[in-house]
Every structure is written in structure tokens, then in C-alpha cells.
Amino acid sequence: MNIDKQETEKGGRYTAVVSGHEAEMTFSRASPHLIIIDHTAVPDALRGQGVGQALALHAVEDARAGGWKIIPLCPFMRAQSLRHAEWADVIQQR
């Protein structure tokens, strides 16, 4: 699955297009070393296919590579972060 990232100074989004349907995970940048994932949207046509999970994992890997932390404000990302203890190095729980 190909995941793209669009970023501005204040935030951005990760997107994946599967079978013509776009899923996204949006974030805002709180500081150079902290992002807040605030929304995940996966169309009904893609539910149950691991698209949201792939977006979450991509964000975690991006945070590791970039040296920043993630605040999982979005309910989906928060739930994923609680299920994946191995993400604790980049997840900042509130």
C-alpha cells in the first residue's frame, strides 16, 4: 500500500488510495518535536482491510525517523497506540 504525506508548517496528512477510495490521517504540529494526530478517516469500502492500521504504523515510523513524538488525540490512533506497546518510544500519552 502506497502512503503519501502532505505537510505544511502547521500540520499535514497521510493518505492512502486503495481501489479508488482515499483514507487519511491528519495531524497538526505542536512543535518541531511533537505532532498531534487529530483525525483518521477510512471510507466504509475500505474498512476491515488494515488501511487505518497502515496509516498509523506509517505515522509511527515517520516519527521514529524524524525524531519526534506523537500525541494520539484521534480516538482511532489512541486505541492503536494502546494496543501496540512497541510504539511507546514515540507515543506521548496525555
Side-chain angles (χ1 to χ4, degrees):
M1 176 178 324
N2 188 34
I3 297 176
D4 293 316
K5 179 181 177 183
Q6 297 92 38
E7 189 169 17
T8 67
E9 186 178 309
K10 295 184 180 192
R13 68 187 198 132
Y14 297 101
T15 58
V17 178
V18 180
S19 302
H21 300 281
E22 183 180 79
E24 74 170 354
M25 177 174 280
T26 61
F27 63 90
S28 56
R29 187 161 287 285
S31 77
H33 302 289
L34 185 65
I35 67 166
I36 300 168
I37 294 185
D38 50 24
H39 180 70
T40 303
V42 177
D44 289 340
L46 300 180
R47 292 197 191 275
Q49 297 181 36
V51 178
Q53 174 69 28
L55 290 169
L57 180 58
H58 191 82
V60 166
E61 291 171 348
D62 208 20
R64 283 183 180 138
W68 66 74
K69 300 274 187 186
I70 296 170
I71 294 176
L73 187 60
C74 160
F76 174 80
M77 186 63 181
R78 177 154 173 73
Q80 290 299 311
S81 70
L82 294 173
R83 284 189 196 118
H84 294 275
E86 70 274 17
W87 295 357
D89 59 318
V90 295
I91 299 295
Q92 180 173 313
Q93 299 294 353
R94 296 175 25 164

